[in-house]
Amino acid sequence: MNEHSTASGTDTAPGGAGTGREMWGSRFGFIAAAVGSAVGLGNMWRFPYAAAEHGGAAFVLLYVIITFLVGVPIMIAEFGLGRSTRLSPIGALRRSGGPAWAPAGYLFVGAGFLILAYYSVIAGWVSRYALEAVLTPWPADAEAYFNEVSGNTSAVFYHLGFMALTLLIVAGGVKAGIERVSSFAMPLLALILVGIAVWATTLLGADEGYRYYLTPDFNELLSLDTLAAAASQAFFSLSLGMGAMLTFASYLQRDTSLPREATIVALSDFGIAFIAGLVVFPVIFAMGLQSAVSESTVGALFIAIPGAFVEMGAVGRVVGILFFVALFIGAITSAISLLEVVVSSVVDEWKMNRRKASIIGGIIIALIGILPARDLSVLNAMDRVAAEVFLPLGGLVLALLVGWGPAGRSLDAFAEGASPRTRSLLIGWRWTLRLAVPPLLIIVLSRTIPAGIDAIRAIGG
Ligand code: TRP
């Protein structure tokens, strides 16, 4: 017996192994939920823009390397910690590392609060775009429309609506809520997006869009800022560094191979992000709206793309509806994973029931989100600090805990359910966590911490 099963054998904490924790209904359900968490606004909104900004295909290449060199190893670590302890982050870190590691769990939950609070604001804009694409005539002026949607009243209203929906799904439970929604929504999202990408190849001027997206500029790779951008994008997109994947794995049976599941999730996440770029740029370039892309990240998605759809007339309307529905699906399945971290922590730590925890957690986050809904500089600062500082910091904690600390002393928790060959690969995996991941994340943090501080200073300005 390894230390984990021993620990869970003497389980006293609420929600620990053997105390009837709710489990996923199927392996597919778990993967759908994990991919649902990963695939979201980060893929369809942040990724294409970051790639175009930072050297096109060269960035994509770097991003893939980081996804598999850093992202997959951290995901395996999160999966193993969650599955072996059957606890959410605070308890999982305490159980696997000892009391000294528990504060890091609070950092994770705090990151969940912050990220969901502003994520829901952007998701609220998306909700209105999707809804009005179906119900109302197209806006004539895309920029004026965006200003209205992101203006105080509308943004707060749709943010609260989106949070209410997120809360309802999470309150419904792991199987009946999260798994049920993700299992049908994620295949649908993939189908829609691939369909639109194929259609986009037929657009006049598409090749210019592809060129803008993918022309490699290898000079960009020499800059540490590009490295920091790729790494924080990878953490955000893969939902790593704050225990979302850890929490989902705490509902997982012991007979699945964690390295295999992590690879599947990472490949799906990258695939969707890459395909999103194959939609976004041809559409924008076909309509000659490239200037809007360089103005801001927000502009790329919320002004240029709808603007292009509007100009395409009836076809644009159909595609536009599909695009924003896909974006909405991505956003809601990601938001539920963020709320789940908070809810399951409250359930595990304070023995509160799920429904009550969902309502209280959801309401607090909804209230915090009113600030970024009313002020884009707050939203920007929250994104900088939570996504670019907290997540890499959380990744560093996980790499140290599993690579050097007590949690990785035995590999059993991570190897259970995997083939013997995969087991031997895990030795290399632990060395990656020990030697490659920490220095890389320290470099990333040395860039993102000053940028985060600047963003906080810029609030209100
Ligand atoms: N990965 C999601 C996206 O790309 C966002 C997200 C969901 C997330 N859960 C998370 C980000 C946990 C960081 C941590 O849109």
Side-chain angles (χ1 to χ4, degrees):
M1 265 212 173
N2 64 68
E3 61 190 322
H4 300 281
S5 40
T6 310
S8 39
T10 55
D11 186 11
T12 51
T19 54
R21 191 177 187 76
E22 199 183 349
M23 292 279 138
W24 300 106
S26 70
R27 187 188 152 219
F28 175 78
F30 164 70
I31 292 178
V35 172
S37 170
V39 170
L41 299 173
N43 302 60
M44 292 189 239
W45 167 57
R46 237 163 161 263
F47 178 81
Y49 182 79
E53 250 329 58
H54 292 285
F59 178 90
V60 175
L61 196 71
L62 180 69
Y63 180 78
V64 171
I65 293 170
I66 291 180
T67 294
F68 288 93
L69 186 78
V70 181
V72 171
I74 298 274
M75 198 182 293
I76 295 171
E78 286 207 23
F79 280 172
L81 292 172
R83 186 178 67 173
S84 63
T85 59
R86 296 201 167 167
L87 289 168
S88 44
I90 300 170
L93 294 195
R94 187 191 295 121
R95 176 80 57 85
S96 56
W101 294 85
Y106 286 96
L107 175 83
F108 286 14
V109 177
F113 265 91
L114 280 181
I115 295 177
L116 183 52
Y118 75 82
Y119 197 84
S120 166
V121 172
I122 304 170
W125 305 342
V126 170
S127 310
R128 178 161 172 196
Y129 271 80
L131 207 65
E132 295 192 343
V134 181
L135 296 177
T136 65
W138 276 126
D141 179 344
E143 191 164 355
Y145 182 63
F146 174 69
N147 289 336
E148 189 197 319
V149 170
S150 63
N152 287 352
T153 321
S154 169
V156 170
F157 179 79
Y158 279 90
H159 152 68
L160 295 178
F162 184 84
M163 275 307 302
L165 188 63
T166 306
L167 189 164
L168 275 178
I169 297 173
V170 171
V174 174
K175 216 194 297 187
I178 299 172
E179 180 170 356
R180 199 159 54 165
V181 169
S182 306
S183 298
F184 87 84
M186 294 321 289
L188 183 65
L189 182 154
L191 197 73
I192 294 177
L193 205 64
V194 170
I196 304 181
V198 171
W199 163 82
T201 61
T202 66
L203 292 172
L204 218 63
D207 47 337
E208 215 188 311
Y210 296 136
R211 214 170 304 131
Y212 177 78
Y213 175 32
L214 293 174
T215 301
D217 175 358
F218 287 102
N219 288 328
E220 282 279 343
L221 294 190
L222 300 175
S223 120
L224 287 181
D225 285 328
T226 303
L227 180 72
S232 40
Q233 173 61 25
F235 271 82
F236 187 82
S237 189
L238 294 166
S239 301
L240 295 176
M242 53 142 291
M245 292 299 177
L246 185 159
T247 304
F248 274 7
S250 74
Y251 309 117
L252 186 60
Q253 273 15 313
R254 298 192 190 274
D255 57 357
T256 42
S257 162
L258 300 181
R260 183 188 57 193
E261 313 304 49
T263 308
I264 293 174
V265 174
L267 280 173
S268 313
D269 185 62
F270 171 70
I272 295 284
F274 187 72
I275 295 171
L278 296 179
V279 169
V280 168
F281 292 105
V283 166
I284 292 174
F285 276 73
M287 290 294 130
L289 294 172
Q290 43 271 38
S291 64
V293 180
S294 41
E295 279 161 21
S296 72
T297 28
V298 173
L301 189 65
F302 290 99
I303 298 173
I305 295 186
F309 286 141
V310 168
E311 287 190 27
M312 287 175 189
V315 178
R317 175 139 196 171
V318 174
V319 179
I321 291 172
L322 290 171
F323 181 81
F324 279 100
V325 167
L327 203 57
F328 175 79
I329 292 175
I332 189 77
T333 51
S334 296
I336 55 185
S337 78
L338 287 159
L339 184 57
E340 178 61 24
V341 171
V342 174
V343 167
S344 74
S345 302
V346 172
V347 170
D348 289 346
E349 293 294 308
W350 292 289
K351 293 188 168 193
M352 195 183 280
N353 78 43
R354 163 173 290 271
R355 192 162 299 164
K356 207 162 146 196
S358 307
I359 293 172
I360 295 177
I363 288 179
I364 295 176
I365 294 170
L367 291 177
I368 301 175
I370 291 178
L371 296 169
R374 294 170 57 93
D375 185 343
L376 283 182
S377 67
V378 175
L379 193 154
N380 182 50
M382 287 172 82
D383 182 41
R384 284 280 151 131
V385 172
E388 297 182 4
V389 177
F390 280 29
L391 298 182
L393 201 61
L396 185 61
V397 168
L398 290 162
L400 296 177
L401 172 63
V402 176
W404 298 101
R409 241 166 249 152
S410 157
L411 289 181
D412 290 359
F414 306 92
E416 242 184 320
S419 67
R421 203 176 63 95
T422 311
R423 263 172 192 267
S424 58
L425 286 178
L426 281 174
I427 311 245
W429 162 77
R430 188 165 47 189
W431 282 108
T432 308
L433 285 180
R434 279 185 186 159
L435 300 179
V437 175
L440 199 118
L441 289 180
I442 288 169
I443 295 174
V444 169
L445 285 164
S446 75
R447 295 274 138 169
T448 57
I449 290 175
I453 294 173
D454 284 348
I456 293 174
R457 289 223 179 94
I459 285 178

